[in-house]
Amino acid sequence: MNFAVEAKNLIKNFGELRAVDGISFGIKRGETFAILGENGAGKSTTMRMIACRSPLSAGELSVAGLNVSIEDRKVRSLIGVVPQENNLDPDLNVRENLLVYSRYFRIPKETAQARCAELLDFIRLNEKAEAKVEQLSGGMKRRLMIARALLHRPKILLLDEPTTGLDPNVRQEIWEKLEELRRTENLTIVLSTHYMDEAEKLAQRLLVMAQGKIVVEGVPRKIIENRVKKFALEIREADPIELQNVNGIISQRRGQTHIYFAENLERLAPLMSLYGSRQMILRPANLEDVFLQLSDAGAVESE
Ligand SMILES: Nc1ncnc2c1ncn2[C@@H]1O[C@H](COP(=O)(O)OP(=O)(O)O)[C@@H](O)[C@H]1O
Ligand SMILES: [Mg+2]
């Protein structure tokens, strides 16, 4: 298979610290792929190696079949990068931020102007084209970072925590833009996040990192169904009732909350009557459940 990004035994050391510890994965063309993990897991370091911004300590890494250690110039022309921290130029307005960047890619002036207009339209910042960066909201800055990364029409878009610290409605807006890009431009999107819902919503496939290693990978729905069961019954303020152990049902205590997982809803119904009038939520199992289960088993260190 010809992957958009392929890593084999990828390693990154910072002195004594091994930030990325022998990971292997393949990202398919045209998919959205998420790298999940808590702070310090090694997500940004992995993204920076893919973006040719940090040399590998060992292993192999290719982007569109090109070795990143040798053909870094070519790789850079194929990828658009949105780093974890915004690095827009505060002295320039919105449009100028895009135009200046287009020079790095030697995009001819007229093409650049047309492309900027198109992108400002896409991120709905037309009316802010003359505004200074400091006048933008957090979500607008992030959208401008995304537009800037798209200037040279990359084939692969790398986003390091695209929505961290943003309001729910702003996150939603960014998710819609990313989904639109994947659908209409056939872009390969690689994003890192510590939000389970973001990964579950956007990614066709994902991997979860902890301490530089991959702890789980695959299709979100499949991971959920393999690791937990299809449905979850969540009961708030469940104590002092005893946690029930029923065959075929996984039971879990999270603080004051009791959670039961089962393959079908019918199996969970009898438990509901047991808890009477307590607040309950019956829902599909999600990635957060998987993650919490992993931490329970000690595979992932939680904060
Ligand atoms: N430039 C660096 N020098 C030294 N240590 C670093 C550097 N960059 C990252 N690290 C360390 O590598 C580990 C992984 O960091 P990072 O990739 O930023 O994690 P994440 O993005 O998942 O939060 C952390 O322990 C971090 O402190
Ligand atoms: Mg990071």
Side-chain angles (χ1 to χ4, degrees):
M1 167 126 202
N2 197 355
F3 287 108
V5 179
E6 191 173 20
K8 287 184 192 153
N9 293 317
L10 188 60
I11 289 175
K12 179 74 188 189
N13 300 319
F14 293 112
E16 296 283 286
L17 176 80
R18 181 157 287 187
V20 174
D21 194 0
I23 64 174
S24 302
F25 57 86
I27 300 173
K28 296 177 195 162
R29 287 174 202 268
E31 76 178 347
T32 296
F33 188 92
I35 301 178
L36 258 168
E38 300 193 336
N39 279 338
K43 304 182 297 297
S44 292
T45 306
T46 304
M47 303 281 279
R48 290 173 58 77
M49 287 191 281
I50 299 172
C52 301
R53 278 160 171 79
S54 176
L56 332 183
S57 300
E60 289 169 34
L61 182 61
S62 64
V63 171
L66 304 166
N67 182 329
V68 297
S69 309
I70 300 168
E71 304 191 75
D72 56 313
R73 281 182 73 114
K74 197 128 185 235
V75 169
R76 280 167 192 260
S77 74
L78 292 175
I79 54 178
V81 182
V82 178
Q84 191 166 338
E85 304 295 336
N86 292 336
N87 53 3
L88 298 161
D89 189 331
D91 296 326
L92 302 178
N93 70 27
V94 168
R95 179 183 287 113
E96 288 162 349
N97 259 284
L98 294 180
L99 285 172
V100 157
Y101 212 71
S102 69
R103 284 188 219 139
Y104 295 131
F105 292 102
R106 296 168 201 264
I107 303 172
K109 202 168 173 194
E110 267 160 37
T111 317
Q113 272 166 347
R115 181 71 177 146
C116 286
E118 189 181 313
L119 286 166
L120 285 175
D121 214 32
F122 174 68
I123 58 167
R124 290 201 291 270
L125 276 186
N126 270 327
E127 282 167 23
K128 296 273 180 191
E130 317 303 329
K132 282 275 162 65
V133 169
E134 64 188 11
Q135 293 169 279
L136 303 181
S137 68
M140 289 175 184
K141 284 182 194 154
R142 222 50 191 147
R143 267 152 46 204
L144 183 55
M145 288 290 292
I146 294 172
R148 197 182 70 177
L150 292 169
L151 271 172
H152 60 299
R153 299 184 186 277
K155 299 269 180 259
I156 301 168
L157 182 62
L158 294 178
L159 304 124
D160 198 353
E161 305 211 14
T163 69
T164 296
L166 300 178
D167 293 340
N169 58 327
V170 180
R171 298 180 62 209
Q172 188 73 43
E173 232 171 68
I174 290 181
W175 291 349
E176 278 165 20
K177 287 294 157 199
L178 294 178
E179 189 49 30
E180 189 179 332
L181 280 174
R182 188 186 66 82
R183 253 196 353 259
T184 60
E185 310 277 320
N186 197 32
L187 259 183
T188 305
I189 299 178
V190 186
L191 63 95
S192 81
T193 180
H194 60 256
Y195 294 123
M196 312 287 152
D197 57 342
E198 181 156 286
E200 202 174 327
K201 178 134 193 172
L202 291 179
Q204 279 73 58
R205 293 187 315 125
L206 59 87
L207 60 80
V208 181
M209 290 183 79
Q211 288 156 20
K213 292 196 167 74
I214 296 175
V215 287
V216 200
E217 65 175 309
V219 175
R221 215 55 238 164
K222 293 252 170 66
I223 295 176
I224 294 163
E225 286 169 19
N226 289 341
R227 299 268 168 166
V228 285
K229 291 172 183 281
K230 276 197 181 125
F231 298 98
L233 170 65
E234 215 174 287
I235 300 140
R236 303 270 163 84
E237 306 289 329
D239 287 342
I241 296 173
E242 279 289 303
L243 190 68
Q244 306 296 306
N245 285 308
V246 187
N247 272 348
I249 293 180
I250 299 174
S251 51
Q252 211 179 58
R253 189 192 300 271
R254 288 182 203 160
Q256 291 275 293
T257 302
H258 289 182
I259 305 197
Y260 297 100
F261 297 99
E263 263 326 299
N264 49 58
L265 291 168
E266 293 76 47
R267 300 222 46 171
L268 293 169
L271 283 164
M272 295 175 79
S273 54
L274 208 80
Y275 286 91
S277 59
R278 274 159 225 271
Q279 196 192 344
M280 295 181 211
I281 302 164
L282 196 52
R283 58 167 175 80
N286 58 36
L287 269 181
E288 194 142 8
D289 296 323
V290 174
F291 210 68
L292 287 169
Q293 192 149 312
L294 283 170
S295 355
D296 259 7
V300 176
E301 209 173 41
S302 52
E303 309 234 294

